Amino acid sequence: MDGLPDEVANLAAVAARCAEDTERAGALAPEVVAAAKTSGLLRAGLPARLGGSEPTAAAVLRAAERVAEADASAGWCVSIAATSSLLGAYLPEDGGQEVFGDPAAVAFGVWAPQGRLTPAEGGVTVSGRWPFCSGVPHCDWGFLGGVRADTGQLVVAAMPAAELTIHDTWHTSGLRGTGSHDTSADEVFVPARRLLSVVDGPPADAGPLHRFPIFGFFAASIAAAALGNARGAITDLLELAVAKRPSGSRRTLAERSGTQGALGAAEAALRAAREFYYRAIDDAWLAAEESAVVPDPVRLALRLACTHAVRVSAEITRTAYDLGGGTAIYETSPLQRRFRDAHTATAHFQVNAATYELPGRLLLGLPADTTQL
């Protein structure tokens, strides 16, 4: 997966062809799900002991970015599923086999401690409700966070999707095809083999993929989708600009100096954001290859790069949308979907404006909790 294999190119082609169906259905079209499973991206984070190839973080994220260039919802879902599959390395051996032993099994994840875990013989019972469960319509398992009632420990429980209730809540402006509904559990029993902690770090024998900062990978998965969507918006604008003649003008949109200048600035901004993003990913990967602990400055740069990439990508899609003029406001124009998807991504808690604050504290030399950096 170090390049972009044929399976990823095929997934991108299918995602582009089905983008309208995906948005209309509020979930990935069946053809997209099938192609995504064939690509291997949905399980790209699995450790070797569970059948994973343990690619580089950059390889996984580049592939997700390419899919998002075709359709942001599809790219978002594959990058989130890949991130969730990383937790296979955190599970005990028997738990990992139970969740991912079926080669078709796919997981979603919301690690925020929204659930309550009550001790029970052999494990815990879990109750709670989790919003923003991206990809839940096509997933078999969910990794859902909670707090143990007996110890106060933050724990993630792996639960079969069949034992959860999916609430039809995902009616949004953008990323409609991700099917990011609320999910709830009502006294679901989870054996100890399916419990893990992301805050305690990866197992001692983990390789660089699982020593890579997991919260940083989560943020990077959002950024990959945003960057791909921004590239798609520029491509969509280029196709429109060579054909469209704005009302009252003899020149095409492409021939207008305002279009040329704005497009040049957008291209520069996208290239710069991508360069920072992939440089930070490569630096974190090198650090993970060398040590089980990635230094705070490296994790700081990674999180800054991810937030910056998402927010710059949204500005680029706004530029493309604005340049599209009246054409872009119609549902027949992909630019309006690019715009909506981009600005929905900026609301994610991993990359919203508030995520600049922790890096800012560290840069100022102020005390800060870096466990989720």
Side-chain angles (χ1 to χ4, degrees):
M1 200 176 289
D2 287 326
L4 289 177
D6 292 343
E7 292 83 359
V8 175
N10 177 66
L11 171 56
V14 174
R17 187 171 66 247
C18 298
E20 292 183 8
D21 291 339
T22 287
E23 170 150 306
R24 192 160 40 244
L28 296 188
E31 301 94 323
V32 180
V33 174
K37 289 187 174 183
T38 299
S39 75
L41 271 178
L42 301 179
R43 294 161 56 93
L46 288 181
R49 62 182 170 82
L50 292 176
S53 61
E54 300 197 19
T56 65
V60 177
L61 295 164
R62 286 184 191 278
E65 180 190 9
R66 176 66 187 87
V67 177
E69 184 179 343
D71 175 41
S73 286
W76 182 285
C77 283
V78 297
S79 63
I80 291 295
T83 304
S84 296
S85 69
L86 291 168
L87 298 188
Y90 289 67
L91 285 169
E93 176 68 26
D94 51 352
Q97 288 294 339
E98 184 178 1
V99 174
F100 290 111
D102 179 348
V106 177
F108 71 91
V110 176
W111 310 339
Q114 301 290 335
R116 178 179 175 83
L117 284 65
T118 303
E121 184 176 355
V124 298
T125 58
V126 182
S127 294
R129 180 162 173 157
W130 297 262
F132 309 119
C133 297
S134 296
V136 65
H138 61 259
C139 286
D140 308 286
W141 290 84
F143 285 104
L144 299 170
V147 179
R148 287 193 64 119
D150 52 343
T151 65
Q153 181 187 16
L154 301 181
V155 176
V156 174
M159 292 179 277
E163 296 182 16
L164 302 169
T165 300
I166 300 173
H167 303 272
D168 184 14
T169 54
W170 192 244
H171 303 283
T172 59
S173 61
L175 293 172
R176 295 174 181 173
T178 63
S180 302
H181 302 290
D182 286 17
T183 301
S184 64
D186 184 12
E187 296 297 314
V188 174
F189 175 73
V190 180
R193 65 180 179 274
R194 287 198 262 116
L195 299 176
L196 61 94
S197 170
V198 291
V199 295
D200 291 341
D205 61 349
L209 178 61
H210 299 101
R211 293 203 297 257
F212 191 94
I214 193 165
F215 292 103
F217 199 111
F218 189 4
S221 71
I222 305 304
L227 287 167
N229 185 56
R231 172 54 65 197
I234 289 178
T235 300
D236 293 338
L237 176 64
L238 291 174
E239 293 177 357
L240 175 65
V242 297
K244 177 177 178 176
R245 282 185 168 80
S247 179
S249 176
R250 296 180 180 179
R251 296 179 298 167
T252 64
L253 187 59
E255 293 171 324
R256 302 179 72 170
S257 60
T259 302
Q260 297 158 9
L263 181 60
E267 180 68 23
L270 180 56
R271 293 191 189 192
R274 288 187 79 253
E275 179 67 22
F276 181 23
Y277 172 74
Y278 282 111
R279 176 65 61 85
I281 289 167
D282 288 344
D283 288 346
W285 183 264
L286 290 173
E289 285 186 313
E290 295 174 359
S291 172
V293 179
V294 175
D296 279 356
V298 176
R299 294 191 289 155
L300 164 69
L302 178 60
R303 296 306 298 275
L304 276 175
C306 292
T307 298
H308 180 70
V310 171
R311 307 196 77 75
V312 167
S313 292
E315 294 170 5
I316 291 166
T317 63
R318 182 181 184 88
T319 295
Y321 176 82
D322 285 346
L323 289 171
T327 303
I329 70 174
Y330 289 94
E331 290 186 351
T332 52
S333 171
L335 286 173
Q336 51 79 28
R337 187 175 67 246
R338 298 290 188 185
F339 176 84
R340 290 186 287 103
D341 289 347
H343 288 82
T344 300
T346 61
H348 196 283
F349 80 99
Q350 285 281 355
V351 292
N352 63 21
T355 58
Y356 280 130
E357 294 174 9
L358 176 56
R361 287 186 64 86
L362 292 172
L363 289 169
L364 289 165
L366 299 174
D369 179 4
T370 62
T371 55
Q372 296 188 28
L373 184 63

